Each structure stands twice: as structure tokens, then as C-alpha cells.
């Protein structure tokens, strides 16, 4: 066979090998650079996420109500108050004093027409006259029989019978006279009079009204109150009762007199805690010569108590509702949260009283996150006074 043409194969030049190695190194470098960049980016994202995961909280400073200041609601009552009921049934004939009228002790307020009682009195008086007549006849008879006995014209038994009849008739006279006196006493109740000097504060009847006694419709016809002195009743929480002592002077304000302050002296206390409210009933007394204050007034009573009695106050937004009860989060050592259980006192609206569980030096976290737990790291944003 004829010789075939030979194909010559040349080895790749050295330059191509160098280019390939450089390209490979560049590719490896790019991959390594990308991986390192991604790791650094992940680290930055992790650090950024970790910083954002730490809650930023606002810290508030606790405050007390002031050195020994205590404000409680109070109720004013007249020193003497008398609801005046009718003692006899009938119809109101006339009334002479309306609400707001000043009256003197014994002054006539109203008259009641009592026809039934009048007839009972007339009958009792007639019965008394009959009893007196029978007694007079029995007395004459007894004297005659005593004379006959002296002459031995009758027996001792008959004379004793006449004397016994006289004693019985005398007892009937006494009974009839007592009945007349009772009805006359009831007749005096037709006149409704004031029991003491004061002011008529209510009138719940009018001319012609039926006056019932002792029934469900038995209501006071009038109410008379002595407003020259007033009593102020305040219910003091148990935690403050140790500071309520004899000689305590309190000031109070009334809504109708803005800017005016009244003072009252402690008179007495109930000396017992009411189990329903956990409070001690306290009574103050004040002179009311100018009749400025009125019975039934609502007042705010300010007590001057020892400084140790002042409780800590915090805004309601600082409270945390936990399964174990009410709690407050405070800033602990190392910038970590500490959860403290607390006991609440009075609610003032913008602030609440913390009776136990906190001290004045605690830094309380306002609006703590629901997820906050004891030991969690926190960042403090700012500190502001409570209630601001």
C-alpha cells in the first residue's frame, strides 16, 4: 500500500500551561474571597441581630407621696341628725317648716288630724267617769256596812265583801285614768316638733297625706340636722392605722371651695378593722359656725403622718402581670433584669402605691416587654421621674 501522509502532533506550548495555572489560581482565589466575605457578612448580621435582640428599656425613678402625706376620701355628717317619724296614724292637717328652714327645739313643724284617736280618748274619758261613779257608790256602801258592823247588825264577811268591792272599783278607776293618760300622751304626738335647734333638711309629706305608723310606708316626715358642728368620717387603710393617734389634726378640701382648706381634730376611732374593707373608721370633728359645709359633702382629707408611713409610687405601666401575682422589673447588676414581686396599695390613677417589694433606690423598668425574664440583658435608654 502506498504510504499514508503522516500527521504531525505537537506538544502544547509552555505558555498555555502557564495561562491555565493562573486562571485556576484566580478561580480558587475568587471562591475563597467569596466564602470569606460571606462568613464576615454572616458575622456582621449575627452581631447586628444580637444587638437588636437586647431590649432597649426606659428606666424611671421611684417617688414617695411626700414626707408623711396621706390623702383619703371623707364624708361629712351633721353632729346631730334626727329623722322625725309620726307616732300616731291619721292625715296631715298642716305643716309649718320647709327644707332649709332653721328651727328651734320644740318648734311646731306639722299637725296631724287623728279622728280615730280623738274618739278613743272620748270613750276612755267616759269609761273613767263610769269607773269614778262606781267607785263612789262602792265607797258609800262600804262605809254603811262598816257602820252596821260596828252595831253588830251585819257579819264581818258581808262588811269585808263591800270593802273588797270598793278596792276593785278603785283599781278600775286607776286603770281607766291610766288609759286616758296614755291616749292624751298619744294626742300630744299630733304635734310634730323639732327635737333640737337645727335646720330642716328633708320634708316628705304634704297636707292631706295619709300618715301610717309602723308599716312599710312609714317614712320620716321631716329630718332635722344640727349643722353648727360636723363629723367627718374617713376609712383609713390598715397599713396606716399605727399613725392614727389621739391629737391628730387633719386638713381637708371640698370641691365647692377650691383653694380653701379646712382643719379638723381627731375625736375617736372605731378601734377595729372592718373585715370587709380592711380599713379603720376614723371620726374627726369641726366647728361649722358659718354653715359653709353641708352634711353629706364629699371631701379629700389630708393626713400629716410620719415619713416612714409614706409609700412608694410608680406608674401603672411599670406593672407586670405574672402567674405568681403582680411584679415589677428593675435593673440589676451587670445591666440585667431582675423581676420583683410587689404588693399594691391605693390606685391614684396616674400612679399606684407599691406597699411592699420595692425600695426607693430601685431603678424600675417602664413598659417592660412581656417576654422579659429575670437575668435577661437589657439596654437603658433614659431615666425619667415616675408619673412624667
Amino acid at each position: 500500500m502506498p504510504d499514508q501522509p503522516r500527521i504531525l502532533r505537537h506538544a502544547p506550548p509552555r505558555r498555555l500551561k502557564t495561562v491555565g495555572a493562573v486562571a485556576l489560581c484566580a478561580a480558587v482565589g475568587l471562591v475563597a474571597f467569596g466564602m470569606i466575605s460571606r462568613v464576615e457578612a454572616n458575622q456582621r448580621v449575627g452581631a447586628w441581630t444580637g444587638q437588636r435582640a437586647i431590649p432597649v428599656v426606659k428606666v424611671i425613678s421611684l417617688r414617695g407621696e411626700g414626707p408623711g402625706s396621706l390623702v383619703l376620701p371623707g364624708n361629712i355628717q351633721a353632729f346631730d341628725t334626727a329623722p322625725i317619724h309620726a307616732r300616731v296614724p291619721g292625715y296631715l292637717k298642716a305643716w309649718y317648716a320647709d327644707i332649709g328652714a332653721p328651727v328651734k327645739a320644740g318648734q311646731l313643724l306639722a299637725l296631724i288630724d287623728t279622728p280615730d284617736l280623738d274618739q278613743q280618748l272620748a270613750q276612755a274619758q267616759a269609761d273613767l267617769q263610769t269607773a269614778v261613779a262606781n267607785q263612789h257608790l262602792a265607797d258609800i256602801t262600804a262605809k254603811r256596812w262598816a257602820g252596821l258592823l260596828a252595831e253588830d247588825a251585819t257579819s264581818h264577811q258581808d262588811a269585808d265583801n263591800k270593802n273588797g268591792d270598793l278596792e276593785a272599783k278603785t283599781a278600775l278607776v286607776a286603770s281607766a285614768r291610766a288609759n286616758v293618760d296614755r291616749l292624751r300622751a298619744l294626742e300630744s304626738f299630733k304635734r310634730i316638733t323639732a327635737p333640737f335647734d337645727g335646720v330642716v333638711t328633708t320634708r316628705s309629706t304634704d297636707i292631706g297625706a295619709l300618715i301610717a305608723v309602723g308599716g312599710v310606708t312609714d317614712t320620716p316626715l321631716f329630718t332635722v340636722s344640727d349643722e353648727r358642728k360636723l363629723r367627718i368620717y374617713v376609712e383609713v387603710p390598715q397599713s396606716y392605722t399605727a399613725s392614727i393617734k389621739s391629737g391628730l389634726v387633719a386638713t381637708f378640701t371640698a370641691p365647692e371651695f377650691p383653694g380653701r382648706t379646712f382643719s379638723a381634730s381627731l375625736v375617736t376611732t372605731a378601734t377595729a378593722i372592718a373585715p370587709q374593707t380592711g380599713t379603720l373608721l376614723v371620726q374627726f370633728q369641726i366647728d361649722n359656725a358659718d354653715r359653709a359645709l353641708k352634711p353629706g359633702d364629699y371631701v379629700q382629707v389630708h393626713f400629716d403622718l410620719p415619713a416612714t408611713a409614706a409609700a412608694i409610687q410608680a406608674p401603672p405601666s411599670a406593672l407586670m402581670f405574672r402567674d405568681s401575682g403582680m411584679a415589677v422589673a428593675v435593673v440589676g447588676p451587670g445591666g440585667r433584669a431582675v423581676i420583683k414581686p410587689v404588693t399594691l396599695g391605693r390606685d391614684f390613677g396616674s400612679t399606684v402605691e407599691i406597699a411592699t417589694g420595692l425600695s426607693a433606690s430601685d431603678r424600675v423598668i417602664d413598659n417592660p416587654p412581656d417576654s422579659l425574664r429575670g437575668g435577661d440583658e437589657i439596654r437603658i435608654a433614659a431615666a425619667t421621674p415616675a408619673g412624667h
Side-chain angles (χ1 to χ4, degrees):
M1 292 181 63
D3 294 335
Q4 296 292 331
R6 182 184 298 177
I7 299 175
L8 298 177
R9 299 181 182 273
H10 300 282
R14 185 180 299 274
R15 181 177 296 178
L16 291 177
K17 293 181 178 180
T18 302
V19 172
V22 172
L24 180 61
C25 291
V28 172
L30 289 175
V31 172
F33 178 77
M35 294 179 62
I36 293 173
S37 298
R38 181 171 296 179
V39 170
E40 290 178 351
N42 289 337
Q43 290 177 349
R44 288 195 298 270
V45 171
W48 183 87
T49 304
Q51 289 294 325
R52 294 300 184 273
I54 299 176
V56 179
V57 298
K58 183 174 66 173
V59 176
I60 57 176
S61 300
L62 297 177
R63 71 180 185 185
E65 191 177 333
S69 176
L70 176 64
V71 182
L72 294 173
N75 178 261
I76 292 182
Q77 296 185 17
F79 192 81
D80 289 314
T81 299
I84 302 175
H85 292 257
R87 183 66 179 82
V88 292
Y91 296 91
L92 193 74
K93 184 176 182 180
W95 56 266
Y96 303 99
D98 206 349
I99 59 173
V103 293
K104 297 292 184 180
Q107 180 176 331
L108 182 63
L109 302 179
L111 283 175
I112 300 176
D113 189 13
T114 58
D116 292 343
L117 180 61
D118 295 341
Q119 292 300 317
Q120 292 176 23
L121 177 59
Q123 180 180 355
Q125 290 173 334
D127 292 341
L128 175 61
Q129 292 177 358
T130 300
V132 168
N134 291 334
Q135 180 201 30
H136 181 65
L137 179 59
D139 181 54
I140 294 175
T141 302
K143 290 179 180 179
R144 288 175 178 173
W145 283 88
L148 294 174
L149 180 62
E151 298 175 357
D152 291 329
T154 186
S155 64
H156 286 278
Q157 181 64 40
D158 291 338
D160 291 340
N161 288 339
K162 302 305 179 182
N163 288 328
D165 183 61
L166 174 60
E167 293 177 357
K169 295 299 193 294
T170 302
L172 289 176
V173 170
S175 175
R177 183 171 285 112
N179 190 36
V180 170
D181 293 341
R182 179 183 67 85
L183 293 174
R184 283 177 177 169
L186 290 176
E187 283 274 323
S188 67
F189 289 112
K190 295 194 300 183
R191 294 171 51 88
I192 305 298
T193 58
F196 47 76
D197 295 352
V199 176
V200 177
T201 56
T202 66
R203 177 181 64 83
S204 57
T205 188
D206 214 333
I207 295 175
L210 175 63
I211 306 300
V213 177
V216 294
T217 59
D218 182 11
T219 59
L221 305 183
F222 299 88
T223 301
V224 176
S225 299
D226 183 2
E227 301 178 353
R228 293 170 298 178
K229 289 185 179 181
L230 299 175
R231 307 177 195 266
I232 305 170
Y233 291 97
V234 185
E235 293 185 354
V236 179
Q238 181 179 347
S239 57
Y240 294 97
T241 55
S243 301
I244 305 299
K245 298 179 180 179
S246 177
L248 179 66
V249 177
T251 59
F252 64 92
T253 56
E256 64 267 35
F257 297 105
R260 183 176 177 181
T261 301
F262 303 86
S263 61
S265 301
L266 178 66
V267 176
T268 186
T269 70
T271 67
I273 302 297
Q276 296 83 1
T277 61
T279 58
L280 173 70
L281 184 62
V282 176
Q283 177 184 317
F284 290 85
Q285 183 175 310
I286 182 176
D287 291 328
N288 191 40
D290 60 352
R291 308 292 175 91
L293 298 171
K294 303 294 187 295
D297 268 349
Y298 168 84
V299 295
Q300 287 282 348
V301 183
H302 301 253
F303 293 83
D304 292 329
L305 301 180
T308 55
I312 295 173
Q313 294 183 25
S317 56
L319 301 178
M320 304 178 69
F321 298 89
R322 298 300 172 114
D323 294 338
S324 57
M326 200 68 67
V328 170
V330 301
V331 179
R336 296 189 177 275
V338 176
I339 308 300
K340 289 189 173 184
V342 296
T343 302
L344 301 185
R346 295 167 294 159
D347 188 346
F348 299 102
S350 61
T351 60
V352 292
E353 190 178 74
I354 308 298
T356 61
L358 290 180
S359 63
S361 60
D362 284 332
R363 294 187 297 168
V364 174
I365 299 174
D366 193 18
N367 288 312
D370 292 337
S371 59
L372 187 65
R373 295 293 182 267
D376 288 352
E377 186 178 358
I378 55 176
R379 289 195 300 161
I380 300 174
T384 58
H388 291 256

